[in-house]
Amino acid sequence: MMQLWENEFAKTVGLDGVWEFRLEKQTGSIRVPGTWEAQGYARRAEGPAIYSRTVFVPADWQGQQIQMQFDAVSYYAEVSVNGQAVGIHTGTWTAFAFDVTQAIRPGEENEITVVVTNIGERFPLRESLVGFLPDVAIMFGGIWQSARLVAFPGPALSEINIKADVSGRVSVQAGIHDFDGGEAVIRLLDFSGKEVAIWHGEATKRLAADIHVEQPLLWCPELPARYTVEITLEVDDKPAARACRMIGFRKLAHEDQQLLFNNESICLRGVLNWGWYPEILCPAPDEATIRDEFRRVRDLGYNMVKLCLYVPSPLYFEIADEEGMLLWLELPLWLPDVTPRLMEHTLVEYPRIMAQVQHHPSIVIYSLGCELEKNVDPGWIAELNSLTRERAHDVLFCDNSGSGEAYGYLGDLADFDDYHFYADIQYFEPLLNHFHRDWRRPRPLIFGEFCDMDDYRDPADLRAQYGGELPWWATEQNPIHPLNKLAYSQQIERMSQLNVGQIAPELVHLSRQQSLMIRKTVLERTRARDGMGGYVVTSIRETPLSTSSMFDNEGRAKYSAEEFRRFNADTVLLIGRGRARRWTRGGDRPAPTEPYSFAAGQPIALAAILAHAGKPLAGGRLSWQVTDGNGAILAEDTQIVEGPFAGGRPRSIGSILFTAPTVEQAVRLRLKMALEWADQGIANEWPLWVFPQVTEWPQGIALYDPAGGVGSAGRSATGGAAGVPDHAHYHHTDHQHQFSTPRRQIDSLLNSSC
């Protein structure tokens, strides 16, 4: 195997198209690029799968250096030409090439054979760098990206590495082949093709140069300015070889807890993508699909996609560069069986991946793996960390997304904190507090994945999408997942026992309302905390194992884009409430409160909070309004807030003061808040619940609370409620209910047969 050579003057014969194919007892034709599983051949088959075809090679290729180049094959490829073995390659994600000069017969038809072996007995799953896709549904096999024959009449370039600094300096390194010496010329062209900088120098075996442009236009999501680096090798003042790269000047960094993009505060709002494309079963979507994916993600307020444990085709990165979509590339180390073979392969494969993608300005974060546990050697990860960091520039790195301390791994080489908090709402903030330590070095917190909530998938809707039949992945149990953990393959059978078929649409609607509420609550609590650099929400689309997603299987948004952007944007309005404590049994205890539930007649004081990222925000006009279920206004106010507000941390910008109405049953109010400045504005809204004061509780209901953890409204300073013995007073904080059941009655109920 050898490095891919590049020269835009070289001649090419494409190998994409129809090949003959054989897998176990199946024979037929297959299209390249593509996976065999998506083209009707056996799923979960290890192989070997045999690809063969003939191709005519022009006679004028005689005497030239000829490479056979593959952009990616999964998982192990053995290649021969005209019956002569030319090379092997292991790994799903990287391009590779073989020198086939001696095997090719110019002017004739040439027989090419590629034998592909997928993961299985020969290449065990957890000992191979295949990421999370086998857990999602299936690990694909085959020649899943393009292939070609290339004839080089003379010089060529390889291993091109370009680092663009926001100061305007561009560092260029490249390997040079079959070049007896001469001049190398590097030109830097702006988006219009205008030359803005040039470098000349002698070159032989290796090229290393710095080129500088004054005041470069920086690449950012709003204006993804790109430059072309054109590298030319000249012989007798004539171009003999040329290769180009598109780059951008950008920098993601941090100052203590403050995350900065191009020296301005930023909130990374990412969505998790597992690379699941059921129509093709590999992460190589076409241009239209990628652009549509980015458009739909942006509509919901996201500015980043996390590529979770896979490397997509080059087209994905190119379009992200062009459209200004930020990317987090997570390299495919997941639940590894750490053997010498895996360690050796990773030390080779990771630098190859980095060599392919490092010039893309859209990639701003790299992680070496996900949720690595105590069986992983920190020394090995440290070596991988060094190999990857030296190949990128002005980005952030994380050695273990999810944090090692949460999984028993002892290393920590990350530039930021990263936790995967999949938690019920009541545990989310306690988790945040638990993992915060003032004695650790200050750095931003970026949730690498979190905030999941599955909703109900209607089999009838799924059938309609697939012509009346459920797709295989909805009925075929993934052997990785036992039924006692994930039983999506038995959904119809199990739900039929509950007789919910007629109400399936209502289940879909209700479950999505619930998931929206949970995502809104968690994201708002995240944005209300200092030191938050951003987050990645799970996930972008439904998969066999999860319906926790922004879009269903058809790509339809599950939530109103306008509603979701209220709490998922650069600038959002939030509400907060003061803190309380209670004196219980001779000492203080926290009295948790939330800003959504109140007792009738209670004075209410809420803080209006602004969470902002980006350029400083001018002051403006803050208005709020509380209405009842009929839309009648119960309270409202307008306040002028003085700016500017620098981005990067939440701050209180006003107060919401009113008295809860007197009610005899629980009622829902609605709080709407807006901030307007110049010709812009943002808004948000929340339900508020008001509950009647309870003085007498129905007979036969008791609350057992030995820890005194359910509240203290109405208690005196010494711990008892006014006029009520301490042992007999119980209180539910959220609903402001007071319980007056004697302890002996509670004990009697607990000891009964009921």
Side-chain angles (χ1 to χ4, degrees):
M1 191 174 68
M2 61 189 300
Q3 294 291 336
L4 271 76
W5 289 7
E6 296 183 56
N7 183 354
E8 66 178 43
F9 305 130
K11 297 179 181 179
T12 299
V13 171
L15 298 179
D16 292 354
V18 178
W19 293 54
E20 294 179 2
F21 185 75
R22 184 167 77 251
L23 175 63
E24 298 177 344
K25 297 181 180 180
Q26 293 179 285
T27 60
S29 62
I30 195 168
R31 180 163 291 277
V32 171
T35 68
W36 71 63
E37 297 88 352
Q39 298 185 60
Y41 291 96
R43 294 186 292 273
R44 311 191 193 285
E46 180 178 355
I50 301 173
Y51 291 74
S52 60
R53 66 167 293 175
T54 58
V55 59
F56 180 79
V57 174
D60 61 4
W61 282 26
Q62 188 70 46
Q64 300 186 35
Q65 188 90 8
I66 303 173
Q67 276 194 350
M68 183 180 293
Q69 299 181 349
F70 294 87
D71 289 339
V73 176
S74 179
Y75 174 76
Y76 175 79
E78 302 168 273
V79 182
S80 60
V81 177
N82 296 322
Q84 178 180 335
V86 295
I88 61 174
H89 177 263
T90 303
T92 297
W93 313 109
T94 52
F96 57 96
F98 302 122
D99 184 348
V100 297
T101 306
Q102 301 305 315
I104 286 289
R105 301 168 187 161
E108 301 180 23
E109 293 284 344
N110 290 258
E111 178 74 23
I112 300 173
T113 302
V114 182
V115 180
V116 180
T117 305
N118 203 354
I119 60 170
E121 184 176 347
R122 185 177 179 186
F123 300 101
L125 167 62
R126 301 305 182 192
E127 197 181 338
S128 307
L129 286 176
V130 292
F132 193 60
L133 272 167
D135 294 80
V136 172
I138 193 171
M139 186 56 206
F140 59 88
I143 306 173
W144 67 284
Q145 292 189 37
S146 291
R148 69 202 66 84
L149 290 169
V150 186
F152 295 91
L157 296 149
S158 70
E159 301 178 274
I160 299 172
N161 184 283
I162 301 176
K163 297 178 180 177
D165 190 283
V166 289
S167 67
R169 182 177 68 90
V170 180
S171 172
V172 180
Q173 296 187 27
I176 299 176
H177 308 276
D178 287 356
F179 191 51
D180 294 331
E183 187 174 52
V185 180
I186 303 175
R187 293 180 173 86
L188 190 64
L189 312 175
D190 67 12
F191 60 92
S192 68
K194 176 184 177 183
E195 181 183 293
V196 294
I198 189 169
W199 176 93
H200 298 264
E202 294 294 319
T204 52
K205 300 295 184 184
R206 189 79 189 164
L207 175 63
D210 285 342
I211 187 170
H212 191 273
V213 58
E214 296 292 336
Q215 297 181 330
L217 189 60
L218 300 186
W219 185 97
C220 64
E222 298 77 21
L223 182 62
R226 296 187 297 162
Y227 291 76
T228 300
V229 177
E230 180 188 90
I231 308 169
T232 305
L233 303 178
E234 295 185 349
V235 176
D236 298 330
D237 296 327
K238 295 182 180 179
R242 179 172 294 155
C244 298
R245 292 287 188 275
M246 299 287 285
I247 65 165
F249 296 93
R250 58 90 182 95
K251 182 177 183 179
L252 182 66
H254 72 93
E255 293 179 358
D256 294 333
Q257 290 183 296
Q258 180 70 64
L259 192 65
L260 301 171
F261 186 75
N262 295 341
N263 293 320
E264 288 187 355
S265 69
I266 188 172
C267 175
L268 297 175
R269 303 180 303 280
V271 62
L272 194 72
N273 191 337
W274 282 319
W276 169 247
Y277 297 92
E279 300 81 10
I280 56 176
L281 297 178
C282 64
D286 61 21
E287 179 179 353
T289 299
I290 298 169
R291 293 191 189 279
D292 181 63
E293 184 172 289
F294 289 165
R295 176 192 60 78
R296 290 184 288 115
V297 163
R298 276 211 173 95
D299 282 348
L300 292 174
Y302 293 103
N303 58 14
M304 183 174 72
V305 174
K306 184 179 182 183
L307 310 172
C308 183
L309 295 162
Y310 73 97
V311 184
S313 62
L315 182 62
Y316 198 96
F317 296 109
E318 292 165 8
I319 295 176
D321 291 346
E322 180 183 333
E323 296 215 348
M325 178 59 70
L326 302 172
L327 298 178
W328 177 337
L329 178 58
E330 182 163 83
L331 300 176
L333 197 59
W334 159 253
L335 289 183
D337 182 5
V338 185
T339 64
R341 183 166 73 172
L342 174 67
M343 296 173 71
E344 180 181 356
H345 177 57
T346 309
L347 291 171
V348 172
E349 189 78 344
Y350 272 27
R352 289 175 179 165
I353 294 173
M354 294 298 297
Q356 292 180 189
V357 305
Q358 59 82 217
H359 64 283
H360 290 289
S362 54
I363 309 174
V364 295
I365 299 180
Y366 293 88
S367 46
L368 304 183
C370 178
E371 299 172 0
L372 303 179
E373 300 178 344
K374 59 185 177 182
N375 68 316
V376 175
D377 177 16
W380 171 49
I381 297 300
E383 189 172 0
L384 290 174
N385 182 67
S386 297
L387 288 172
T388 51
R389 281 183 183 268
E390 69 185 22
R391 287 166 170 79
H393 189 61
D394 284 348
V395 298
L396 296 183
F397 273 87
C398 176
D399 57 331
N400 187 8
S401 184
S403 85
E405 64 181 337
Y407 297 93
Y409 168 76
L410 299 179
D412 182 1
L413 302 171
D415 297 324
F416 54 93
D417 290 329
D418 173 4
Y419 301 113
H420 297 176
F421 287 165
Y422 291 119
D424 294 334
I425 289 180
Q426 67 270 26
Y427 297 124
F428 178 66
E429 288 191 288
L431 273 168
L432 283 173
N433 295 332
H434 176 66
F435 276 82
H436 175 78
R437 281 139 295 177
D438 289 324
W439 45 264
R440 290 186 60 167
R441 70 184 189 276
R443 56 187 185 180
L445 171 56
I446 307 173
F447 289 112
E449 51 184 90
F450 89 143
C451 193
D452 70 325
M453 182 61 194
D454 285 288
D455 49 48
Y456 186 72
R457 175 159 48 205
D458 184 359
D461 185 45
L462 196 58
R463 277 199 188 99
Q465 297 170 26
Y466 287 86
E469 296 290 334
L470 286 174
W472 64 267
W473 49 261
T475 59
E476 180 181 304
Q477 184 71 17
N478 187 338
I480 294 177
H481 306 304
L483 281 170
N484 62 349
K485 289 189 176 181
L486 290 170
Y488 52 84
S489 62
Q490 295 188 357
Q491 178 185 354
I492 293 178
E493 175 186 345
R494 296 190 181 192
M495 295 305 289
S496 66
Q497 298 174 10
L498 301 176
N499 194 28
V500 297
Q502 298 301 315
I503 63 168
E506 287 81 358
L507 286 177
V508 171
H509 176 69
L510 289 172
S511 64
R512 290 184 181 178
Q513 282 188 310
Q514 182 184 37
S515 67
L516 177 62
M517 177 273 294
I518 288 176
R519 296 186 195 278
K520 175 177 169 66
T521 302
V522 170
L523 292 185
E524 288 184 346
R525 292 182 180 183
T526 298
R527 293 296 296 274
R529 294 182 71 108
D530 197 14
M532 288 291 173
Y535 47 80
V536 177
V537 175
T538 304
S539 65
I540 190 169
R541 74 174 295 171
E542 290 182 352
T543 68
L545 66 87
S546 173
T547 58
S548 175
S549 61
M550 297 293 106
F551 309 104
D552 68 9
N553 185 66
E554 282 284 274
R556 297 170 296 194
K558 296 182 176 182
Y559 316 115
S560 158
E562 180 182 4
E563 188 172 4
F564 208 86
R565 288 196 304 268
R566 290 174 184 165
F567 52 88
N568 189 46
D570 281 336
T571 308
V572 296
L573 289 170
L574 315 168
I575 55 173
R577 188 176 179 182
R579 300 297 182 259
R581 58 86 178 150
R582 60 170 169 265
W583 184 265
T584 304
R585 296 180 179 86
D588 275 327
R589 296 183 184 180
T593 58
E594 39 81 359
Y596 315 111
S597 301
F598 306 92
Q602 175 185 357
I604 296 176
L606 299 175
I609 300 169
L610 177 71
H612 171 64
K615 296 181 182 299
L617 184 66
R621 185 169 68 95
L622 176 70
S623 60
W624 60 265
Q625 184 181 84
V626 177
T627 57
D628 64 15
N630 297 318
I633 298 173
L634 303 182
E636 62 181 342
D637 192 20
T638 298
Q639 306 164 29
I640 301 299
V641 295
E642 299 292 337
F645 299 110
R649 62 178 306 179
R651 66 198 68 218
S652 175
I653 59 171
S655 300
I656 300 167
L657 304 173
F658 67 102
T659 299
T662 300
V663 297
E664 295 182 358
Q665 61 182 14
V667 298
R668 186 175 73 169
L669 311 180
R670 182 154 298 276
L671 168 62
K672 298 181 180 180
M673 184 163 54
L675 178 65
E676 298 174 331
W677 68 96
D679 58 346
Q680 301 181 62
I682 56 173
N684 204 349
E685 59 182 68
W686 304 265
L688 303 181
W689 287 92
V690 177
F691 299 89
Q693 296 280 3
V694 177
T695 56
E696 292 187 15
W697 200 254
Q699 291 297 315
I701 296 179
L703 176 66
Y704 183 57
D705 180 33
V710 291
S712 59
R715 288 184 185 274
S716 68
T718 59
V724 181
D726 184 55
H727 73 274
H729 180 83
Y730 299 86
H731 163 247
H732 186 289
T733 305
D734 292 342
H735 293 181
Q736 303 288 297
H737 290 162
Q738 294 183 1
F739 299 82
S740 300
T741 305
R743 175 85 51 131
R744 59 182 177 273
Q745 184 177 345
I746 295 173
D747 292 338
S748 175
L749 288 169
L750 289 173
N751 292 327
S752 71
S753 60
C754 303

